[in-house]
Amino acid sequence: MNIYREEIIDHYKNPRNFGEMTNPTIRVFEVNTLCGDNIEFFLKIVNKIIIESKFRSLGCAISTATASMLTEKLIGLTIDKAKNISENEILTLLGGEISPGRKKCAFLPLTALRKALKTI
Amino acid sequence: MLNTNKIRLDFPILKRKINGFPLIYLDNGATTQKPKQVVEAIVDYYYNHNANVNRGAHTLGVEATEMYEKARQTVASFIKAASLREIIFVRNSTEAINLTAYSWGRSNISQDDEILITEMEHHSNLVPWQILAHEKQAKLTYLPFNKDGLLEIDKLDQYISSKTKILGLVHVSNMLGTINPVKEIILAARKINPKIVTLVDASQSVQHLPLSVLDLDCDFLAFTGHKMLGPMGIGVLYGKEDILNIMPPFLSGGDMIREVYKDRSVWNELPEKFEAGTPNVAGAVGLEAAIYYLNKIGLENIRIHERELTEYTLDKLRKISQVTIYGSMNTEIRSGIVTFNINGVHPHDVSEVLDKRGIAVRVGHHCTMPLHQKLNIPASVRASFYIYNTKEEIDKLIEGIRETIKIFKI
């Protein structure tokens, strides 16, 4: 099962940076009501650099694993670099192409991140 | 069991491969596949008989009209309606219920009136009433169901009063699979309020068990062609003649009028009063062919076949500890719908694993968000059976579920 390789299952069952953040610089909530996935994104930004990134979510393996890997990627990035993260980079994180039906799951954390960064 | 080998030969799509595996179509609650006989009837109509209906004095126009009206007769006989005037062709169940809410609802619901539906309704038998209630400042209430997925009928007198103008009731729940005792509920409702009007959503029942509107004695009944081997785009609203007669039209324009003047119009008689514009004649012809097909098998036999499949599925599923099954385990009052969750695995991921093995199930909230809110789950996985499904296919479903549990190390 390509998409469900060990790494994805691991990030799903043991998501990194999972939990609430006290005093976040930004907090955003994004929902995909069609499938019941939702995600809450927290960012702590100092001198235009993301120094901490956390998330809470209720969702499928793909959206959870993506969010987990995304928060790892964000730490240390400038706001500008973070704003430029593309859909393709998300797919690379996940290890390649995913079926069209699951793209919304993969891009949910990215949508949340972009929404958060827009407020700056 | 039905002779599925023979039946499956009539459904070319069942020969398809999905991701290298034979298609195992377990999403009949969403839509059913179509037998050759239905597709050929539609093709025949367009190749040989197509014309607009009702005003054609030419041969083709007469033929098309006769075919359309013959389809109406077939539908009337199928649900044992007393008269052709009680069968209105619409686009689907959703439109049938919207017609009722718009036409009957707007003229009969006033401020502080009550509309009663149930907690297990499909959005199509919820949202139109919600909009009507908001508009008229009426109250929309919900008859609850218990932990076995059965309506709390003993509480009916707490939910019905002289203020309750209409009861909207699903016959078979598209999520729980519960077969509600509609006839008994309608009788009980009328005992409390003799004037109450009743609408039955038969979208998941009319094609799975024998049904008679005379027996149910409901005022309205809605069902849709594409969930019963028919094409998409055709559905039926049944309404008692007396009640339809006094309702204002829904959609207006051509065909639903007898006379039009600059300052007023005279409505047509039933059923045309509620069929504005060019109808879906091909759809009606397709629906008729579907009814013939189902009648040849026999609705009682379909019920028996599905019940065996459901019993088989529940029996295997209950042995998997990681699976939660929703609804009653009693197949006497459960239709061929099995909705479940694998604890710790999101429905979306379950569907992905199954799809990679050619198995089509539905995941999400199945247009029953309040029902899912009551069960406190965001979504679920639904397998729904029909005449061409087999025990071997269910074995594959179970294998797929076990595989999912392995992959996710649950």
Side-chain angles (χ1 to χ4, degrees):
Chain A
M1 195 91 318
N2 265 345
I3 186 63
Y4 294 127
R5 64 187 202 282
E6 285 285 338
E7 201 189 344
I8 302 290
I9 302 290
D10 180 37
H11 274 277
Y12 172 61
K13 299 190 81 174
N14 309 297
R16 323 298 194 242
N17 303 306
F18 193 88
E20 204 177 353
M21 186 190 284
T22 41
N23 301 319
T25 315
I26 316 173
R27 176 201 162 275
V28 78
F29 186 72
E30 189 68 22
V31 166
N32 180 359
T33 44
L34 280 176
C35 65
D37 280 5
N38 63 55
I39 180 168
E40 205 178 359
F41 232 100
F42 306 95
L43 295 174
K44 194 162 263 159
I45 302 175
V46 172
N47 292 332
K48 297 207 177 154
I49 296 182
I50 299 172
I51 61 166
E52 205 183 332
S53 166
K54 284 182 101 156
F55 81 102
R56 274 200 303 200
S57 76
L58 190 64
C60 64
I62 293 182
S63 70
T64 308
T66 304
S68 172
M69 292 190 276
L70 186 58
T71 56
E72 282 189 318
K73 189 183 172 80
L74 284 174
I75 296 174
L77 281 190
T78 61
I79 297 174
D80 282 338
K81 275 234 167 74
K83 276 186 178 166
N84 284 328
I85 294 178
S86 68
E87 276 83 351
N88 271 337
E89 283 178 73
I90 297 290
L91 292 179
T92 310
L93 276 180
L94 286 171
E97 264 306 314
I98 56 172
S99 32
R102 306 306 299 279
K103 288 225 162 105
K104 254 204 167 130
C105 311
F107 300 147
L108 181 68
L110 185 61
T111 308
L113 173 67
R114 284 176 177 164
K115 209 164 143 187
L117 295 176
K118 245 198 187 134
T119 64
I120 304 183
Chain B
M1 296 292 276
L2 297 177
N3 185 348
T4 45
N5 284 335
K6 184 156 167 281
I7 290 172
R8 290 173 74 92
L9 291 175
D10 288 332
F11 294 81
I13 202 169
L14 295 178
K15 289 206 234 28
R16 261 207 66 167
K17 289 268 162 71
I18 305 287
N19 297 315
F21 289 89
L23 166 67
I24 294 176
Y25 188 76
L26 301 178
D27 194 19
N28 294 286
T31 199
T32 54
Q33 301 303 340
K34 324 299 170 200
K36 289 198 300 261
Q37 291 85 335
V38 166
V39 179
E40 280 157 15
I42 296 169
V43 170
D44 169 67
Y45 168 75
Y46 278 125
Y47 275 173
N48 298 311
H49 305 285
N50 180 55
N52 210 326
V53 298
N54 289 333
R55 276 176 317 288
H58 55 78
T59 303
L60 271 184
V62 170
E63 271 179 28
T65 305
E66 276 174 3
M67 289 176 83
Y68 186 58
E69 292 308 320
K70 186 162 154 289
R72 194 190 304 277
Q73 176 60 69
T74 304
V75 169
S77 305
F78 184 58
I79 59 170
K80 317 263 187 309
S83 148
L84 292 177
R85 291 183 288 282
E86 298 179 322
I87 303 296
I88 297 165
F89 281 122
V90 289
R91 203 176 53 161
N92 47 30
S93 290
T94 301
E95 188 168 289
I97 298 171
N98 271 272
L99 192 164
T100 311
Y102 188 91
S103 172
W104 182 90
R106 267 169 187 72
S107 347
N108 287 279
I109 299 291
S110 322
Q111 188 170 7
D112 294 333
D113 280 346
E114 291 180 20
I115 301 169
L116 176 63
I117 56 177
T118 78
E119 281 182 329
M120 56 169 78
E121 294 308 313
H122 184 282
H123 294 165
S124 62
N125 200 22
L126 191 163
V127 182
W129 304 114
Q130 200 177 70
I131 291 177
L132 180 66
H134 281 160
E135 206 180 279
K136 298 283 187 177
Q137 286 169 69
K139 197 161 153 224
L140 181 61
T141 55
Y142 296 79
L143 184 67
F145 62 86
N146 65 19
K147 59 174 179 51
D148 292 318
L150 305 179
L151 287 175
E152 301 200 52
I153 304 165
D154 52 332
K155 297 210 170 106
L156 207 56
D157 55 351
Q158 292 173 35
Y159 288 88
I160 297 182
S161 70
S162 55
K163 286 215 195 111
T164 321
K165 289 283 156 65
I166 185 166
L167 164 65
L169 176 59
V170 68
H171 193 172
V172 169
S173 164
N174 70 306
M175 190 272 188
L176 298 166
T178 309
I179 303 172
N180 290 318
V182 168
K183 181 175 174 176
E184 287 72 18
I185 295 175
I186 291 177
L187 274 169
R190 287 212 180 104
K191 264 216 183 79
I192 306 169
N193 178 357
K195 292 222 183 95
I196 199 171
V197 167
T198 54
L199 177 142
V200 173
D201 175 8
S203 307
Q204 303 282 355
S205 65
V206 76
Q207 71 282 51
H208 295 287
L209 43 91
L211 184 152
S212 155
V213 290
L214 287 182
D215 183 51
L216 297 182
D217 200 22
C218 49
D219 296 293
F220 298 103
L221 184 118
F223 64 97
T224 188
H226 74 92
K227 292 194 206 272
M228 50 186 284
L229 308 184
M232 290 174 171
I234 190 86
V236 174
L237 173 70
Y238 157 82
K240 283 186 180 169
E241 193 168 346
D242 288 343
I243 206 173
L244 288 178
N245 264 327
I246 53 176
M247 278 161 57
F250 176 38
L251 299 174
S252 50
D255 287 332
M256 46 74 68
I257 40 78
R258 258 217 315 260
E259 299 156 40
V260 178
Y261 304 95
K262 277 192 173 173
D263 62 335
R264 67 191 169 87
S265 293
V266 179
W267 309 137
N268 209 339
E269 292 161 3
L270 292 173
E272 284 82 12
K273 183 170 82 166
F274 293 105
E275 295 185 0
T278 299
N280 184 358
V281 180
V285 168
L287 176 58
E288 183 184 32
I291 292 174
Y292 279 163
Y293 193 92
L294 292 175
N295 280 339
K296 251 177 75 184
I297 298 175
L299 269 301
E300 327 71 39
N301 297 324
I302 293 176
R303 171 72 183 128
I304 293 170
H305 174 84
E306 275 181 33
R307 194 173 164 181
E308 256 196 70
L309 288 178
T310 310
E311 196 74 60
Y312 189 73
T313 309
L314 291 175
D315 194 54
K316 293 200 172 264
L317 267 188
R318 70 191 336 152
K319 297 195 173 95
I320 307 176
S321 59
Q322 298 94 331
V323 169
T324 303
I325 305 168
Y326 304 107
S328 172
M329 297 299 273
N330 176 6
T331 58
E332 169 107 23
I333 47 122
R334 182 198 259 274
S335 182
I337 291 169
V338 178
T339 305
F340 61 93
N341 262 312
I342 302 178
N343 307 330
V345 187
H346 196 275
H348 234 151
D349 296 310
V350 177
S351 131
E352 173 97 23
V353 176
L354 294 177
D355 180 55
K356 288 288 183 292
R357 298 164 144 248
I359 304 169
V361 293
R362 183 145 294 253
V363 295
H365 53 64
H366 313 294
C367 293
T368 55
M369 283 180 82
L371 165 43
H372 279 76
Q373 283 152 18
K374 167 142 178 172
L375 294 176
N376 206 16
I377 51 174
S380 52
V381 186
R382 180 185 73 183
S384 45
F385 314 123
Y386 209 26
I387 57 176
Y388 33 68
N389 292 122
T390 66
K391 284 186 177 161
E392 291 72 27
E393 290 184 310
I394 291 170
D395 288 336
K396 292 274 179 255
L397 169 69
I398 302 295
E399 256 176 57
I401 292 171
R402 291 199 183 279
E403 180 70 21
T404 311
I405 291 170
K406 235 176 78 187
I407 292 172
F408 280 82
K409 305 192 217 290
I410 299 297

